[in-house]
Amino acid sequence: ESKSIIKCFYNDKNREIYPLKILNLEGFWYLIIYEPIDNKIKTFHLNTIKNIEVLNTHFSFDEEKINSFDNAITAYYKPQNKPILVQLFLDKEVSRYFLRKPLNKTQRVLKTYDDGSCDVELTITNFMEIIPTIQRYIPHIGVIEPDEFKNKVKENVEIYLKRFE
């Protein structure tokens, strides 16, 4: 909150970083940072950051980019990527869970069926941001579009079936 630059040790490197936001994603705490040495926003696992030293140097950063992390589903969220619009089918067995706790703030219901199933739409930045969630709920969830995303999930299921037949 003070927008102070910090020095720390992370992944076997001494770093000077701009801490942007702390997030809990799927039960893990992360520090979202900007690292000026390579001009990238990164996600650091909070418990892995060591030897933290708060410097008496301050930074400014695009608040819109920082606030965009409110839409992150997992640590695979990449604010620099072009947003991807995804449509999912949720059957009656799981739809209430996704309606009670949306995956992110962009989630909206497109259609509700008589049996309680529904189609939803949301925006992601990386397929891996949501693939683990979809695979966790198979066969009660399906990708409607985009086709590239649907094919990636299908490919993962095929690899699994071949490996464990």
Side-chain angles (χ1 to χ4, degrees):
E1 290 188 9
S2 70
K3 304 269 194 252
S4 296
I5 296 173
I6 63 172
K7 281 186 177 180
C8 66
F9 188 75
Y10 186 79
N11 279 354
D12 299 323
K13 289 183 189 173
N14 285 310
R15 301 167 184 263
E16 196 168 290
I17 60 174
Y18 300 6
L20 304 176
K21 192 173 191 94
I22 295 176
L23 286 178
N24 186 301
L25 300 170
E26 296 188 310
F28 297 97
W29 287 99
Y30 294 94
L31 178 64
I32 310 306
I33 65 101
Y34 170 74
E35 192 162 25
I37 196 165
D38 59 2
N39 193 32
K40 290 185 179 177
I41 295 175
K42 300 176 181 179
T43 307
F44 286 8
H45 183 254
L46 199 57
N47 289 351
T48 313
I49 304 169
K50 305 293 180 208
N51 303 329
I52 298 169
E53 178 187 347
V54 179
L55 303 179
N56 197 18
T57 311
H58 298 279
F59 67 90
S60 62
F61 203 81
D62 181 350
E63 288 295 321
E64 192 174 315
K65 272 213 167 115
I66 295 170
N67 292 335
S68 77
F69 276 91
D70 292 342
N71 291 326
I73 299 169
T74 69
Y76 287 101
Y77 181 81
K78 304 292 179 215
Q80 68 275 10
N81 289 2
K82 182 181 172 191
I84 304 165
L85 196 60
V86 172
Q87 289 184 13
L88 305 173
F89 168 77
L90 309 172
D91 80 10
K92 65 181 179 180
E93 299 297 321
V94 299
S95 63
R96 67 178 173 251
Y97 304 116
F98 289 88
L99 297 176
R100 275 187 208 148
K101 186 174 186 271
L103 289 168
N104 69 20
K105 291 181 179 183
T106 69
Q107 180 178 308
R108 68 185 186 103
V109 176
L110 297 175
K111 184 175 183 179
T112 304
Y113 299 94
D114 291 340
D115 70 352
S117 300
C118 65
D119 296 340
V120 297
E121 175 184 81
L122 64 143
T123 303
I124 60 172
T125 61
N126 181 319
F127 291 152
M128 274 307 294
E129 194 178 343
I130 193 172
I131 282 177
T133 301
I134 290 171
Q135 291 177 174
R136 184 179 316 133
Y137 286 97
I138 287 175
H140 303 290
I141 190 170
V143 177
I144 298 170
E145 61 182 47
D147 286 339
E148 179 185 0
F149 185 37
K150 186 188 312 185
N151 292 337
K152 180 62 182 157
V153 173
K154 182 179 175 187
E155 179 184 311
N156 287 352
V157 171
E158 288 169 352
I159 290 168
Y160 171 82
L161 290 172
K162 284 179 185 172
R163 187 171 289 151
F164 297 104
E165 282 185 335

